[in-house]
Amino acid sequence: MNGHQVDGVLVQWGERLFYPSNRIVKSPPTPRLDTLMRRKAAVIRQRIEATVRRAPQVMVKVTGGGRGMAAIAAHFSYISKNGRLDIEDDREVMRNGKEAVRDLVDQWRYGGSRIEDESHRREAFNVMLSMPAGTNAELLKKAVREFAQVELAGHRYVMVMHEHQANPHVHLSVKAEGISGMRLNPRKADLQRWRETFAEKLRGWGIEAEATRQATRGENRSYESLWRLKARQEGRLRAQPAMPERGLIASRGRADAMVNWAHILKALAASEVDGYRELGKRVGSFVRSSTVFKETMHHRRGQEALISWEAAEHKRRDTSKNRTDRTPSR
């Protein structure tokens, strides 16, 4: 396969792998490679390379939210260490001290719909954005600022940088009700988009960062609910729950990811470009070492993945052997 044909396959299967919500149901065997297609292929190659070399993953997590102004004020005091740390608002105004925290509380309480001390609904969302230890904290904060300007536009928010723990992170509290009256309600897809935006802003400041899904990385980590952990510690947990429907969906998603990787490996292995074949070797090594590669074999899609994967591996080895046999001896 020539470089253009490989690029077409990378776009077709890479979009399914890295952007599953935008799956292409039907596509021509060889997509028309215009300038936009080449740009897409370049982005997919960058994401493949970052994934197989295990680039640092961003973390964007909603840690809770205040149901009323009393809870919001308590969170402001917590993240600012009672005003000792600088707190920055959505206008990029920096302030510190207890009086500044009280002023922010009044702004949120009376700005827009009045927020009482207690509310039946979540009036703010607390978000934490972090990167592994060693990340430049100042650049991290700049990336968070740009992230908020894009994803939280039209909402009041405050942010505080924490550097006293192992990994630098930013606490961000955003008011649920926007200036227009629309309320924020982040769902799973929104969180993934937030991760993508945060990683993009970090890369813009020269920090290597990725926001790849667990299934794409070949990982399968699940975390118990806080109430279940406490119940286990106190001996109140009676039985293990059956796998929920969303767990089955996630399992099928991991199997689908393996199928996508297999198609990508097959195209890279058949490429006439040395760099693509070398990337194919790294892809093969990366996926074979993943836990999901073994676990997905219990599912139908996983068995399909194994068949596709074995075919791709045979293709890669045969291609490599044929090129070696054709190399003249010296």
Side-chain angles (χ1 to χ4, degrees):
M1 298 176 69
N2 60 39
H4 288 174
Q5 291 172 319
V6 175
D7 283 350
V9 175
L10 294 185
V11 170
Q12 179 181 351
W13 295 98
E15 286 188 339
R16 302 183 188 201
L17 181 63
F18 293 104
Y19 312 105
S21 60
N22 299 325
R23 283 198 186 102
I24 302 172
V25 178
K26 293 183 179 181
S27 60
T30 305
R32 179 175 172 268
L33 292 174
D34 53 12
T35 302
L36 178 60
M37 183 64 70
R38 292 190 181 93
R39 290 177 180 173
K40 286 183 177 181
V43 170
I44 295 296
R45 286 198 303 272
Q46 290 173 0
R47 299 212 64 177
I48 291 172
E49 291 170 353
T51 301
V52 300
R53 70 170 178 267
R54 293 179 169 83
Q57 295 289 320
V58 303
M59 190 191 80
V60 178
K61 182 178 181 181
V62 175
T63 59
R67 291 182 180 272
M69 207 61 233
I72 295 173
H75 188 68
F76 284 1
S77 296
Y78 163 71
I79 62 177
S80 67
K81 303 299 180 186
N82 290 317
R84 292 192 300 274
L85 297 179
D86 288 336
I87 185 166
E88 178 179 331
D89 65 16
D90 50 288
R91 296 168 296 177
E92 298 186 37
V93 175
M94 301 278 290
R95 65 188 82 189
N96 56 46
K98 293 183 179 180
E99 186 61 34
V101 173
R102 284 194 289 268
D103 181 53
L104 280 171
V105 170
D106 287 341
Q107 289 182 28
W108 280 41
R109 183 191 298 273
Y110 301 113
S113 300
R114 179 188 171 97
I115 303 178
E116 302 294 341
D117 281 342
E118 294 185 2
S119 174
H120 67 280
R121 60 185 180 180
R122 190 171 290 186
E123 301 291 355
F125 289 90
N126 304 328
V127 185
M128 186 169 68
L129 302 94
S130 70
M131 281 289 286
T135 304
N136 185 295
E138 192 59 36
L139 295 181
L140 171 67
K141 186 175 181 179
K142 290 180 178 179
V144 173
R145 183 183 297 122
E146 293 179 350
F147 157 85
Q149 290 170 348
V150 172
E151 294 293 346
L152 306 178
H155 288 264
R156 298 297 308 274
Y157 57 82
V158 296
M159 50 188 283
V160 179
M161 182 79 208
H162 280 197
E163 302 180 60
H164 59 282
Q165 294 172 309
N167 57 319
H169 57 278
V170 174
H171 287 280
L172 193 155
S173 185
V174 54
K175 193 174 181 181
E177 184 183 84
I179 297 173
S180 66
M182 296 291 292
R183 296 184 64 83
L184 192 65
N185 185 28
R187 316 303 293 177
K188 185 176 181 180
D190 298 313
L191 290 175
Q192 179 58 30
R193 190 187 70 250
W194 286 4
R195 293 182 70 236
E196 295 277 357
T197 302
F198 183 36
E200 176 189 341
K201 299 307 179 184
L202 285 166
R203 290 193 295 267
W205 288 103
I207 298 175
E208 185 177 35
E210 266 296 320
T212 315
R213 297 178 309 123
Q214 279 195 34
T216 302
R217 301 197 305 270
E219 296 180 2
N220 181 16
R221 299 177 183 175
S222 58
Y223 302 95
E224 282 191 310
S225 302
L226 182 59
W227 71 266
R228 188 175 295 280
L229 287 173
K230 290 183 177 179
R232 186 187 304 280
Q233 293 171 357
E234 298 171 3
R236 296 184 289 105
L237 190 63
R238 297 182 179 180
Q240 292 292 341
M243 179 180 285
E245 178 62 24
R246 63 181 181 181
L248 295 173
I249 294 174
S251 182
R252 288 195 293 268
R254 291 191 289 270
D256 287 341
M258 291 298 104
V259 172
N260 298 334
W261 275 122
H263 283 284
I264 289 172
L265 174 62
K266 186 176 180 180
L268 292 172
S271 174
E272 300 172 351
V273 181
D274 292 341
Y276 281 5
R277 293 197 303 274
E278 178 59 32
L279 179 58
K281 292 179 182 178
R282 288 187 282 135
V283 168
S285 176
F286 169 79
V287 177
R288 282 195 303 273
S289 65
S290 70
T291 56
V292 170
F293 179 70
K294 300 175 182 179
E295 292 175 356
T296 53
M297 297 309 108
H298 299 293
H299 307 282
R300 181 181 63 83
R301 289 292 286 165
Q303 293 168 4
E304 294 175 5
L306 180 59
I307 294 172
S308 299
W309 187 260
E310 288 177 340
E313 279 285 82
H314 286 311
K315 180 69 174 178
R316 182 182 66 79
R317 286 194 291 267
D318 291 345
T319 302
S320 178
K321 182 177 183 301
N322 291 338
R323 286 191 172 87
T324 302
D325 291 343
R326 289 200 300 267
T327 302
S329 60
R330 296 183 180 179

